Amino acid sequence: MQTLGTKRTSTAGTERARPGPGRDLSALLAGAAVALGAVGAVLALTDSGSPLRGPFALFFLFSAPAAAIAAILRGLDPFARVLVSVAGAVVVDMLVAQGMLAVHRWSSDGGIIAVAAISCLIAVPVFVRHMRRRTTADKGV
């Protein structure tokens, strides 16, 4: 008896273009989230009296580390990546708050700057890896 199987082609490294108007929606939402977080950080750092200062700053405090952690975890499935990045963002925020309270240097401006710096440090390896791929691709062409 012989077993016949179908051979599937590998699509691991390829990305399919989605047809229709929703193909750029994720990039649009990511851009809006970055803008919203940046507005929150600016409003908090300038001590604005706007009623949007609190919600936008809170959005920044959770979205900046979550985005940086999610960028590193490219290999996970989407649900796991969201779960781990949100948990990591909470951990980063709590460690910053606990560290500032432990050394008696609590300030909202310092917390926002510390979270932004830690988020940038988490995201640096992703950008370095991307630039290495880009330069090796340019040399190969």
Side-chain angles (χ1 to χ4, degrees):
M1 180 181 256
Q2 185 178 13
T3 304
L4 297 176
T6 58
K7 195 173 193 180
R8 297 174 54 187
T9 59
S10 176
T11 59
T14 61
E15 194 173 293
R16 295 183 194 171
R18 292 180 288 171
R23 67 178 176 255
D24 293 330
L25 187 60
S26 62
L28 179 69
L29 290 175
V34 168
L36 191 69
V39 167
V42 168
L43 285 176
L45 291 174
T46 60
D47 290 330
S48 173
S50 172
L52 298 175
R53 175 183 171 200
F56 284 5
L58 188 62
F59 180 77
F60 171 77
L61 287 173
F62 284 114
S63 66
I69 293 169
I72 286 182
L73 301 174
R74 279 277 196 230
L76 293 179
D77 63 323
F79 180 72
R81 189 165 53 169
V82 167
L83 186 67
V84 171
S85 64
V86 168
V90 170
V91 168
V92 167
D93 289 337
M94 292 300 134
L95 285 176
V96 166
Q98 188 173 13
M100 291 177 76
L101 287 172
V103 297
H104 303 289
R105 297 288 183 197
W106 172 254
S107 72
S108 61
D109 293 347
I112 289 177
I113 291 170
V115 168
I118 291 171
S119 299
C120 287
L121 288 175
I122 292 171
V124 162
V126 175
F127 295 124
V128 169
R129 189 176 347 138
H130 177 70
M131 293 307 289
R132 280 190 192 154
R133 285 185 193 157
R134 178 178 248 178
T135 56
T136 56
D138 290 344
K139 289 179 183 178
V141 173

